[in-house]
Amino acid sequence: MFELAQPWALLLLPLPLVLRLVLPARRLAGGALDVPERIGAMLGRDQAAPDTRPRRASAENLLAWGIWGLLVFALSGPRDLEPVPALKVTGRDLAIVLDLSGSMVRDDFYLDGQQITRFDAVTKVGADFARRRGGDRVALIVFGSEAYYAAPFTFDVEAIARRIETAVIGISGRATNISDGLGLALKRMASSDAESRVVILLSDGVNNKGATTPRGVAALAADMGVRVHTIALGPKDLSTAEEGENGVVDAATLQAISDISGGESFRVKTTDDLVAVTDALDRLESTDSQGLAAEVYRDYWPWPAALAALMGLALAWRETA
């Protein structure tokens, strides 16, 4: 809906006329000049020619009035109220807890026919997953030997995705401290008043550090009403691998974490599995809720102001021509 932000500014339109009536007329000083007779005759012939000055002055007056009218119109603030698509708001806090232990460097995944590391697969698919969480408040926790709060809860899912893409293995140590990673997520959620609180926990190893057990932290999550969805990443798991084999995932513990907290557990052996898991999580934690409607003003004052500036240049050119 078109409107004026400051309609009272239109009262300024007759201001030049008012000033002309109120202020006294300016008197131009006159003078006489004696010139030779021949030059005087030439001047006389020029004065006898048709005078174009009235037409010139009329055009300049029109330009001046046009400039003044456009400036007053710009000052009145023409604008239009436009609706904008509302951000879907789910009322959900979602924490992504990402394993950055040393085992993530193993290159036993394939993407588009090329062999890649577990870390490369997770960062690509995890970033895509984060970008699809519009409407959620998303946070990122990374863990290895220690757990770190990599990004606070925010609606800026693009920032979370970029943080996942720029994560570095080893920054949090080389061990696998699942308990601390999940515990830090719960600590950040303790003060949250969101309607739904969810943790996505991804690990490719066995909990081998920390003073608490993953099952104990999962019980705390259940008491807090936080669902924990777990993703067990890696071709081999602890129950089927040979004794002493490295790079295996404790799928049973991750399954127990999700069972205790009321979440879902997923087993991922290939990149296709990982993509399927993120799609399944999208269905489990959908973002279909509608947010608050929003309207913004689109300002149009720069257009009349710019036109007034161009007409001012034209008026200045005519006066110097």
Side-chain angles (χ1 to χ4, degrees):
M1 181 179 66
F2 185 83
E3 63 178 35
L4 299 177
Q6 308 291 343
W8 56 264
L10 297 180
L11 298 175
L12 298 175
L13 278 173
L15 181 61
L17 286 177
V18 173
L19 293 177
R20 186 173 181 179
L21 294 174
V22 172
L23 296 179
R26 186 177 62 174
R27 296 182 177 276
L28 297 177
L33 178 65
D34 289 332
V35 296
E37 183 178 348
R38 186 175 178 181
I39 296 176
M42 294 175 61
L43 292 175
R45 287 196 301 270
D46 291 339
Q47 291 176 355
D51 193 354
T52 61
R53 282 178 295 179
R55 288 198 301 268
R56 182 186 180 95
S58 177
E60 291 176 352
N61 284 335
L62 287 176
L63 274 175
W65 274 106
I67 293 170
W68 176 250
L70 288 170
L71 289 176
V72 171
F73 184 58
L75 184 62
S76 68
R79 61 185 184 180
D80 195 11
L81 187 62
E82 296 183 354
V84 296
L87 174 67
K88 294 179 179 179
V89 179
T90 65
R92 180 190 300 116
D93 280 354
L94 187 148
I96 300 174
V97 182
L98 186 60
D99 187 346
L100 292 184
S101 60
S103 58
M104 291 289 285
V105 298
R106 291 181 176 272
D107 55 351
D108 49 10
F109 271 62
Y110 287 85
L111 180 64
D112 298 331
Q114 294 185 343
Q115 191 171 8
I116 61 173
T117 65
R118 300 176 182 182
F119 175 72
D120 290 336
V122 168
T123 53
K124 175 175 174 49
V125 180
D128 291 341
F129 172 73
R131 289 188 172 96
R132 294 202 298 268
R133 304 315 305 170
D136 289 344
R137 281 207 322 156
V138 184
L140 177 65
I141 291 93
V142 298
F143 69 91
S145 302
E146 307 291 340
Y148 294 96
Y149 200 43
F153 282 103
T154 177
F155 288 108
D156 188 357
V157 294
E158 179 62 30
I160 299 294
R162 290 197 300 268
R163 189 62 62 89
I164 293 174
E165 291 170 336
T166 57
V168 178
I169 294 178
I171 192 172
S172 54
R174 310 287 292 185
T176 305
N177 193 344
I178 297 175
S179 301
D180 279 9
L182 179 56
L184 182 57
L186 296 180
K187 181 179 179 181
R188 294 294 181 174
M189 286 184 167
S191 59
S192 170
D193 58 356
E195 297 177 5
S196 175
R197 294 176 293 175
V198 179
V199 173
I200 309 295
L201 170 63
L202 186 148
S203 178
D204 73 331
V206 179
N207 188 74
N208 54 21
K209 191 173 176 61
T212 58
T213 65
R215 286 177 173 82
V217 182
L220 176 60
D223 292 340
M224 294 175 57
V226 177
R227 293 190 307 279
V228 182
H229 302 304
T230 61
I231 301 173
L233 180 70
K236 296 183 179 180
D237 62 68
L238 191 61
S239 61
T240 58
E242 297 180 3
E243 186 176 353
E245 187 174 355
N246 295 323
V248 297
V249 61
D250 189 357
T253 296
L254 294 176
Q255 176 74 57
I257 292 173
S258 60
D259 289 344
I260 294 171
S261 64
E264 297 287 337
S265 183
F266 302 92
R267 184 73 176 89
V268 174
K269 298 182 180 181
T270 66
T271 308
D272 290 338
D273 290 342
L274 189 56
V275 173
V277 165
T278 59
D279 292 339
L281 288 173
D282 279 340
R283 291 190 294 272
L284 284 172
E285 306 295 342
S286 62
T287 56
D288 294 334
S289 301
Q290 290 297 324
L292 298 175
E295 292 180 324
V296 297
Y297 283 106
R298 180 185 294 273
D299 292 319
Y300 295 113
W301 67 264
W303 299 103
L307 183 57
L310 291 176
M311 292 175 66
L313 292 175
L315 181 60
W317 176 79
R318 288 182 61 89
E319 289 181 349
T320 57

